[in-house]
Structures are given as C-alpha cells and as structure tokens.
C-alpha cells in the first residue's frame, strides 16, 4: 500500500501513558516523560519523512498543573530544555515550531525562549510542528472570545471562520487524524474546536513505546476511513 497517496495533512497526537510506562519499569514517572521526549523527536523525523505537513502534540494540559509539584517541575524543565536545545536541530531539519496554549501561566523568561524558537524557525518549510503546553481547548476558545471582546471596531456578528482566526491554531489547518496513545478514549480538553471533523485513532501502546511502525499503522487506518462531513455517498 502506498500510504503517501493519502497521507493526512495534519496529525494531532495526545502523547499519553508516560507515567504508566515508568511505573511498569519500576522507575519514577519523570523517567517516562524523559523517554517520551525522545520518542517525540523520532516521531517528528518520521512525520517529516512520511510527508505529514503539520504535526501537533499535546504535551501539558491546563489541568496537568494539578499534578504533584515535582512532576510538574520535571515536565517544565524538559520543556525549557527543549526550547533552548532544539533551535539548531529544528532549523537544520527545516521544521517550523509553534507553541500553542496559554502563555499567561509562564514566567517571562520562558515566554522569551518560546518567542526565540518560533522566530528562529519562522522560515522553515518542511514540517510545521505545534507543541501544546498549558493548553486547554476550553481555555483556547475563551481566550479567543476575550480577544474579540477587546476589539475596538468589532463586527456585531461573526462567522465560524472569523472565530477560528482568533484561536492559537489560526495559521494551521484543522487536524485530519487524531491519535491518542495510552488506552484512554477521551479528548481531555484537546483541540475541541479544531477537531469537529477529525478522524480518531486510539491505541493501548504507551507513548514511550510508540514508534514509526505504530504511526504508519494509524495512518493506514486513516486511509480506510470515509470522510463524509455530513453528506451522503452518491
Ligand atoms: C502523558 O503521560 C504526559 C502528560 C500528561 C504530561 P501521563 O503522565 O499522563 O502518563 P499516564 O497517563 O499517567 O500513564
Ligand atoms: C492528556 O493526558 C494530556 C496530555 C497528554 C498532555 P492526561 O493524562 O492528563 O489526561 P487524563 O487525565 O487521563 O484525561
Ligand atoms: Mg495520562
């Protein structure tokens, strides 16, 4: 099967199962997140190779702040490290990086690091990579509403397209395929608006065990789907 012929343009992944992976190996949860980070790098490379144009991954939700302090600190440390360490590699790999989510929850220096990475990769044309950190679908929608309310000369009526242009994802197409690893079958507040017509794929594989073969399996499954968008087959 030539999967290149029907490759999804935008793949969104919820990278779940890091903690359980670590627990199974009698390791601290932190080790699951570290391993998960390595898998993410591999999946970026595979996505590029397979011809995926947009890859969005859910790394930290607005609800994940409710985890124990040391786990949150560990994840934020990995995020910071990624922002500084990945600039050179991202440019070399022609990967444009965007961070989506609520930046109000971040220190100013962290926001500067995000801006720096986004700026450095702005002209990259290979893979568009979106990292969702302190991201919540409801929060994104409410922030969009608040941006609109602040407009001085705002219209009295707006369309769904107008509304989309105020979301963090305003520059990118809606996901074609959503993959959730780790066995749970729920959205956990991910891209609520953008995934209105996305195809869902769930796997029990824990994120640190995910790999290119599993990604191809998900894509092959996607290619078998009939996307109707409310119409009927004629
Ligand atoms: C996903 O893995 C990563 C984050 C939510 C930050 P989890 O940490 O949720 O792993 P499980 O679901 O507890 O195994
Ligand atoms: C969703 O995973 C968030 C990320 C993968 C970043 P969670 O592990 O936080 O989701 P729930 O709690 O199982 O719904
Ligand atoms: Mg989880």
């Amino acid at each position: 099967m030539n999967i290149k012929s029907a490759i999804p343009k935008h793949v969104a992944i919820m990278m779940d199962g890091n903690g359980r992976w670590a627990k199974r190996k009698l390791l601290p949860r932190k080790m699951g997140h570290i391993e998960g980070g390595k898998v993410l790098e591999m999946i970026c490379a595979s996505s590029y190779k397979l011809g995926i144009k947009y890859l969005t991954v859910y790394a930290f939700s607005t609800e994940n702040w409710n985890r124990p302090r040391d786990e949150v600190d560990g994840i934020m440390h990995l995020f910071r490290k990624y922002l500084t360490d990945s600039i050179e590699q991202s440019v070399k790999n022609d990967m444009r990086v965007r961070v989506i989510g609520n930046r109000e929850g971040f220190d100013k220096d962290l926001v500067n690091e995000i801006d720096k990475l986004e700026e450095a990769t702005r002209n990259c044309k290979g893979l568009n990579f979106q990292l969702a950190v302190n991201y919540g679908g409801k929060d994104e929608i409410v922030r969009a509403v608040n941006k609109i309310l602040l407009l001085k000369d705002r219209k009295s009526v707006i369309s769904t397209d107008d509304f989309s242009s105020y979301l963090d994802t305003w520059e990118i197409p809606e996901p074609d395929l959503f993959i959730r690893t780790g066995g749970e079958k729920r959205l956990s507040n991910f891209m609520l608006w953008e995934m209105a017509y996305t195809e869902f794929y769930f796997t029990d594989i824990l994120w640190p065990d995910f790999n290119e073969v599993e990604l191809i399996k998900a894509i092959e499954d996607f290619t078998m789907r009939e996307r109707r968008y409310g119409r009927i087959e004629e």
Side-chain angles (χ1 to χ4, degrees):
M1 175 183 204
N2 175 17
I3 62 162
K4 267 214 147 151
S5 61
I7 210 88
K9 190 171 179 187
H10 183 179
V11 177
I13 305 183
M14 191 178 300
M15 310 180 291
D16 197 20
N18 293 350
R20 278 164 286 162
W21 180 90
K23 195 172 173 200
R24 274 183 204 172
K25 294 194 152 21
L26 305 176
L27 295 167
R29 290 180 63 89
K30 183 177 96 181
M31 296 305 292
H33 298 312
I34 292 173
E35 199 57 31
K38 293 183 197 159
V39 170
L40 176 56
E41 271 179 50
M42 275 166 24
I43 292 302
C44 282
S46 299
S47 300
Y48 180 59
K49 194 173 83 185
L50 292 167
I52 293 165
K53 287 303 290 176
Y54 296 84
L55 174 70
T56 304
V57 300
Y58 202 8
F60 191 84
S61 74
T62 45
E63 287 74 30
N64 286 147
W65 295 105
N66 297 320
R67 292 190 179 197
R69 176 77 192 267
D70 66 330
E71 180 169 353
V72 170
D73 287 350
I75 295 168
M76 284 301 151
H77 174 76
L78 284 176
F79 177 43
R80 249 175 216 280
K81 198 164 143 35
Y82 170 78
L83 290 172
T84 44
D85 293 1
S86 68
I87 294 188
E88 211 181 298
Q89 197 64 20
S90 303
V91 173
K92 200 170 125 211
N93 294 342
D94 202 19
M95 187 163 105
R96 178 166 183 181
V97 186
R98 294 177 179 89
V99 175
I100 62 169
N102 192 338
R103 296 187 186 184
E104 269 171 33
F106 299 148
D107 294 342
K108 198 164 183 302
D109 66 312
L110 187 60
V111 176
N112 286 341
E113 298 295 346
I114 295 172
D115 288 342
K116 238 161 78 185
L117 176 59
E118 288 189 338
E119 199 45 51
T121 60
R122 188 168 296 279
N123 296 319
C124 295
K125 301 261 180 311
L127 176 71
N128 287 277
F129 175 58
Q130 290 70 236
L131 189 60
V133 185
N134 193 21
Y135 175 89
K138 287 189 178 180
D139 179 71
E140 183 192 29
I141 290 169
V142 170
R143 281 188 290 108
V145 171
N146 286 328
K147 282 179 214 167
I148 294 164
L149 289 175
L150 283 175
L151 293 176
K152 288 215 167 54
D153 51 352
R154 70 169 198 267
K155 303 180 200 165
S156 54
V157 170
I158 65 164
S159 66
T160 50
D161 283 347
D162 288 336
F163 188 77
S164 297
S165 70
Y166 291 96
L167 294 169
D168 297 348
T169 50
W170 64 279
E171 274 184 308
I172 59 172
E174 293 181 347
D176 299 294
L177 171 63
F178 164 67
I179 300 170
R180 179 168 187 157
T181 63
E184 312 295 356
K185 292 176 184 66
R186 53 178 171 254
L187 263 180
S188 302
N189 207 4
F190 193 36
M191 300 182 103
L192 301 181
W193 175 278
E194 295 87 342
M195 299 217 287
Y197 268 104
T198 300
E199 297 293 330
F200 285 17
Y201 180 89
F202 297 98
T203 169
D204 289 335
I205 307 263
L206 303 173
W207 177 251
D209 291 328
F210 198 75
N211 54 35
E212 186 174 308
V213 171
E214 296 300 327
L215 177 63
I216 291 173
K217 256 196 235 174
I219 293 170
E220 283 182 339
D221 193 277
F222 169 84
T223 63
M224 306 305 286
R225 311 274 180 98
E226 187 195 334
R227 302 183 80 190
R228 288 189 291 276
Y229 300 99
R231 298 187 199 104
I232 55 165
E233 259 305 273
E234 283 177 58

